[in-house]
Amino acid sequence: MFIKPSFAEEIALRLQGYQLVAGIDEVGRGALMGPVMAGAVIMPEKIKGRWKNQVRDSKQLTSKSREYLFDYIIDAAVSYGIGSSDNDEIDTVGIAKSTRLAMVRAVKQLVPQPQFLLIDYVRLKESHCPQKGIIHGDSLCFSIACASIIAKVTRDRLVIEMDKEYPGYGMAAHKGYGTEEHIASLRRIGPCPLHRRSFRPVSDMLSLI
């Protein structure tokens, strides 16, 4: 059974005086290629429309549902931002720091700037803004769930374009994750410039070249 995210965290913070509360989430952390991408969004206190009852963690939604909700979310949002860290940066500084950098970049795009951050699991030590990391936040917290949808749709669209530039890996289907099809294509034609050299099995294959 899928959990319906609530607005409880946002309401509690507004009672404490925080009027601009941003939800933040990432996507692509476990992929073998491309960027890790983060979404940040400040949602209004009152939202009209039945669509809000369909919001879930992006992993619990179909591609069609995510695309449908994406437009409603960005239209209703007080502000939203998208940040990323590409595969070269991931290989240089590591996936954990790259994920936080993508989140910080997403937050910096918000206008007005948030007074408090609600983040899926992560603690952003690179930000001085008051914040709370919530385990399974993308399932429990409405703003984080909205951020997860923004990040997922944006990255999926980008990877589909990457698939046109580097065909043969099936990126449009698996979005860069380590599926059997993806691993088989890596063994057949080798990594492309978008692959993360520090991730296995990509690194293992490069060591054999």
Side-chain angles (χ1 to χ4, degrees):
M1 182 181 295
F2 294 151
I3 300 172
K4 180 180 177 181
S6 79
F7 220 65
E9 293 283 351
E10 293 89 338
I11 292 172
L13 287 168
R14 282 170 180 160
L15 290 173
Q16 297 175 44
Y18 296 104
Q19 298 303 309
L20 298 171
V21 179
I24 307 167
D25 197 14
E26 60 77 25
V27 66
R29 182 174 178 134
L32 301 180
M33 55 71 61
V36 59
M37 192 160 284
V41 62
I42 301 173
M43 299 303 292
E45 186 173 357
K46 295 182 180 179
I47 301 173
K48 296 180 180 179
R50 298 179 183 176
W51 65 268
K52 65 181 180 181
N53 296 318
Q54 300 178 45
V55 170
R56 300 287 188 278
D57 168 16
S58 63
K59 296 186 291 295
Q60 298 176 357
L61 298 168
T62 65
S63 175
K64 184 177 180 180
S65 294
R66 289 192 296 265
E67 289 282 351
Y68 166 79
L69 289 168
F70 178 88
D71 292 332
Y72 280 105
I73 291 168
I74 63 173
D75 184 59
V78 174
S79 180
Y80 76 96
I82 298 164
S84 67
S85 177
D86 66 18
N87 55 295
D88 289 330
E89 186 169 50
I90 291 169
D91 287 336
T92 301
V93 303
I95 188 59
K97 184 172 182 178
S98 294
T99 299
R100 297 195 306 271
L101 289 173
M103 289 179 169
V104 169
R105 289 162 185 161
V107 171
K108 285 183 177 178
Q109 292 183 15
L110 297 175
V111 180
Q113 279 285 285
Q115 300 166 325
F116 199 100
L117 309 178
L118 293 172
I119 313 167
D120 183 38
Y121 191 76
V122 176
R123 176 90 183 163
L124 277 185
K125 59 184 180 181
E126 290 83 0
S127 174
H128 298 297
C129 187
Q131 58 189 269
K132 180 180 180 180
I134 303 173
I135 297 175
H136 302 307
D138 46 9
S139 295
L140 301 173
C141 175
F142 185 83
S143 294
I144 297 177
C146 288
S148 77
I149 293 169
I150 289 174
K152 176 64 174 169
V153 170
T154 304
R155 188 179 187 278
D156 282 359
R157 290 174 179 177
L158 176 63
V159 173
I160 289 170
E161 293 304 311
M162 289 175 167
D163 183 54
K164 297 174 184 177
E165 185 176 2
Y166 295 98
Y169 297 96
M171 294 179 193
H174 55 64
K175 305 303 185 294
Y177 288 89
T179 63
E180 290 184 10
E181 177 191 4
H182 193 180
I183 302 301
S185 65
L186 276 169
R187 289 179 179 140
R188 186 175 66 254
I189 58 181
C192 77
L194 298 175
H195 281 98
R196 301 173 184 176
R197 268 54 183 165
S198 57
F199 276 42
R200 297 183 68 184
V202 180
S203 58
D204 294 337
M205 294 176 186
L206 287 169
S207 68
L208 299 175
I209 296 176

